[in-house]
Amino acid sequence: MATNSNSSLFDCNCFAIRQAARYVSQLYERHLNVAGITAAQYTLMVAIARRPDVSMADLADAMVMDRTTLVRALKPLQRDGIVEAEQQAASSRAVGLRLTSQGKETLKKAVEQWRIAQAEFEAKFGEKRAKALRQSLFELTASA
């Protein structure tokens, strides 16, 4: 692959996206830490709350994660009594995930903090630009 001698990190889509992702993650982490969870845990909790008894495979697909990464991400939530996994049928190895009552309470607190983070991001970036950015990013991952 030939590279243009005039190109730099500022021409790299991957670099720009990863740098922006770190910045945005730090913003949301600052707020979600008040609820005792990370931004990654928040997204998993929301996905599980929307689809109680979701299988690991379906959740991994929805989150665009491999199952090993998902299992590692879920371990602290299970350890802390926020998410529980239950075998869906005696004849199946499939496991369904759901929030515990403690998980629902944690999510309630986290949603309040998420709203604050969301408002801060949109105040800095612009509400319309944020919406367009989300739409573009979801289109990108939907085509994968």
Side-chain angles (χ1 to χ4, degrees):
M1 178 169 117
T3 58
N4 180 340
S5 62
N6 293 329
S7 66
S8 72
L9 282 177
F10 298 106
D11 298 319
C12 178
N13 297 318
C14 184
F15 174 75
I17 290 168
R18 290 177 64 89
Q19 184 180 49
R22 284 189 295 272
Y23 173 82
V24 173
S25 291
Q26 289 168 5
L27 184 154
Y28 280 79
E29 295 279 348
R30 186 166 26 90
H31 294 285
L32 290 169
N33 281 339
V34 172
I37 61 170
T38 67
Q41 290 171 332
Y42 176 79
T43 59
L44 289 173
M45 290 173 66
V46 168
I48 293 168
R50 287 184 179 156
R51 292 181 57 197
D53 295 317
V54 63
S55 72
M56 292 269 218
D58 288 344
L59 183 58
D61 288 344
M63 302 302 290
V64 190
M65 297 173 87
D66 63 68
R67 284 168 66 177
T68 303
T69 303
L70 176 62
V71 168
R72 278 196 315 269
L74 286 170
K75 280 191 188 289
L77 293 172
Q78 290 175 296
R79 178 198 66 220
D80 295 344
I82 292 171
V83 171
E84 61 187 2
E86 191 171 287
Q87 191 171 354
Q88 292 181 324
S91 61
S92 170
R93 289 181 40 190
V95 173
L97 300 166
R98 71 175 68 88
L99 296 180
T100 63
S101 56
Q102 180 183 340
K104 290 174 185 173
E105 283 301 312
T106 300
L107 182 58
K108 193 180 199 182
K109 292 174 190 167
V111 167
E112 294 170 21
Q113 294 303 312
W114 174 85
R115 286 187 176 123
I116 295 167
Q118 188 84 349
E120 182 179 331
F121 177 79
E122 290 183 353
K124 289 180 179 180
F125 193 68
E127 196 173 327
K128 287 181 182 177
R129 287 177 65 203
K131 183 178 180 178
L133 176 64
R134 281 191 307 275
Q135 183 176 357
S136 294
L137 294 172
F138 284 135
E139 286 172 9
L140 177 66
T141 56
S143 68

